[in-house]
Amino acid sequence: MDEARQADPGSGPPSPSAAPPSPFSTSPASASTALRRPRDYYRALRADLWTVAADPLPPLSRPRRLRWLPHVLVCAVALTLALAGTEEIRTGYHLASGLSRVLGFLQGGAVVLALRRPVPAWWLSLAVTVVSAEAARIAQDGVAYGVSVLPSPAPESSIRPSWPWTSQGIMACAVVLFLLALRVSARASIGVLALTALVTYFIQGIQGATSYSPTGLLAVLVFATVVLVGAALRGRREARTQLVEQASLTAEERARRTVLEERSRIARELHDVVAHHMSVISIQAQVAPHLVENPSEELRENLAGIRQNALEALTELRRVLGVLRSEDPQDPQDPYGIGSGTGDAPDSPQPTLARLDALVENTRAAGLTVLTEISGDARPLPPGVELSAYRIIQEALSNALRHAPGSTVRVELTHFPRGVQVRVINSRPQQPVPPSPGAGHGLLGMRERAAMLGGTLVTSETSCGGYAVAAFLPRSRDQGPATGDDLPHPTGPRD
């Protein structure tokens, strides 16, 4: 009965033996995750330490003549440590000259190898230390090693040799660990340091030897210091690299956003032009039935449909303009009303070349001497071409006012059968140039306008220290950009 009651949760209260789960208990999923993390760390560490992949030390970026100086210095240090290490092993450990020379030069070779393959170089340096320490311990115990490779130990002296790390071995391994920490991850650097300390403890603390001066603790402290310094320098270099990459991405994003802002501003102005045309279509469709005597019912329906479609399109355009327009388009830094052609779209109708005289007068009131020249047979231009020509002249005058105060500006407007040419040339500034608060969007906006219409725009400095802007805007995009006959040199005559 009790078993049935425990099996059926609806038959009664639970059994006292069914205790609630402890809040400190670990679920099988979390336990497997906890076991998996050390396992993954071990696998990653094994992959870092058990590799022969090349990781060369990069040369100095500057100065160019000394770019390989660190490599030359490391090779010189390696040769010095090899010679000094050979002598220290031979005289301190009383090993045979051939074996001492091999161990010394292998230790120096590990330093050179660290320039290209730091992990194998560390393995080689550690292996040389282990072999030399074991050989010294065997020689000290008076055990034969090979065929008379190790002579009998010399009598004890007042100066005990360093063991298990010789002084030259500590310096060589320190250089190797420093070069390794500069290029591998912090996880690998810590693993290398821990394994080195573990091997040192095993040789000195567990095996041990007599008649020697222990250097295990000193060696581990030196190795920990150089690994810490190398890891810090590597982190600093990576942080600097990430900062440069982030700055590059920020600059690219800023340039992309600038292009989008200019295109959005041009779209606002063209929406005004399109809205004007839609209004004209609507009015003409409404008036057309009254211009025809006895229009048919089919004609009335078609014209009514045209007018209705035009009104719906005009309503949608007004909604788009309401989103694109700014609430306060007035620029407080433009008291003369010159504008730069890069601000928000105003609520007034878009300007045309008929307002060029007013723009020139406002520029003169701002302190510039402006000369105008209009040549060629003036022909009606599409609204978009007139608007772009006006905005290019407006931006060029605004740039001259900001970057060339007190200069003389010449505005040339030439009409061609294929389009219109605009050229604005200013002389060198006659007054100190104040810092400009602008974002440098003016030239980009002018290029966007010219490219939108299939035209060309050229900017350059003049020989007299001024600046010139020349653009050709075709009447129709199908006509293509200007040729050499249509677009003279932007700098104009040299004065």
Coordinates of all heavy atoms in Angstrom, one line a residue, residues 412 423 425 462 468 489-494:
E412 N 32.6 81.3 -62.5 CA 32.4 81.2 -63.9 C 31.3 80.2 -64.2 O 31.4 79.0 -63.7 CB 33.6 80.8 -64.6 CG 34.8 81.8 -64.5 CD 36.0 81.4 -65.2 OE1 36.0 80.3 -65.8 OE2 37.1 82.1 -65.1
R423 N 32.7 76.7 -62.5 CA 34.1 76.8 -62.1 C 34.2 77.9 -61.0 O 33.8 79.1 -61.3 CB 35.0 77.1 -63.2 CG 36.5 76.9 -62.9 CD 37.4 76.8 -64.1 NE 37.4 78.0 -64.9 CZ 38.1 78.2 -66.0 NH1 38.9 77.2 -66.4 NH2 38.1 79.4 -66.6
I425 N 37.1 79.7 -58.5 CA 38.5 79.8 -58.2 C 38.7 80.9 -57.2 O 38.3 82.0 -57.4 CB 39.3 80.1 -59.5 CG1 39.0 79.1 -60.6 CG2 40.8 80.0 -59.2 CD1 39.5 79.4 -62.0
T462 N 45.8 75.9 -56.9 CA 46.4 76.7 -58.0 C 47.8 77.1 -57.7 O 48.3 76.9 -56.6 CB 45.5 78.0 -58.2 OG1 45.6 78.8 -56.9 CG2 44.1 77.6 -58.4
A468 N 40.8 75.6 -56.7 CA 39.8 75.7 -57.8 C 38.9 74.5 -57.8 O 39.4 73.4 -57.4 CB 40.6 75.7 -59.1
H489 N 40.7 73.2 -67.9 CA 41.5 72.9 -66.7 C 40.9 73.6 -65.5 O 40.5 74.8 -65.6 CB 42.9 73.3 -66.9 CG 43.9 72.7 -65.9 ND1 44.1 73.3 -64.7 CD2 44.6 71.6 -66.0 CE1 44.9 72.5 -64.0 NE2 45.3 71.5 -64.8
P490 N 40.8 73.0 -64.4 CA 40.1 73.6 -63.2 C 40.8 74.8 -62.7 O 40.2 75.7 -62.1 CB 40.1 72.5 -62.2 CG 41.2 71.6 -62.6 CD 41.3 71.6 -64.1
T491 N 42.1 74.9 -62.8 CA 42.8 76.0 -62.2 C 42.7 77.3 -63.0 O 43.0 78.4 -62.5 CB 44.3 75.7 -62.1 OG1 44.8 75.3 -63.4 CG2 44.5 74.4 -61.2
G492 N 42.3 77.2 -64.2 CA 42.0 78.4 -65.0 C 43.3 79.2 -65.3 O 44.4 78.6 -65.2
P493 N 43.2 80.4 -65.6 CA 44.4 81.2 -65.9 C 45.3 81.4 -64.7 O 44.8 81.6 -63.6 CB 43.8 82.6 -66.5 CG 42.5 82.6 -65.8 CD 42.0 81.3 -65.7
R494 N 46.6 81.5 -64.9 CA 47.5 81.7 -63.8 C 47.6 83.2 -63.6 O 48.0 83.9 -64.5 CB 48.9 81.1 -64.1 CG 48.8 79.6 -64.3 CD 48.5 78.9 -63.0 NE 48.7 77.4 -63.1 CZ 47.7 76.6 -63.3 NH1 46.5 77.0 -63.5 NH2 48.0 75.3 -63.4

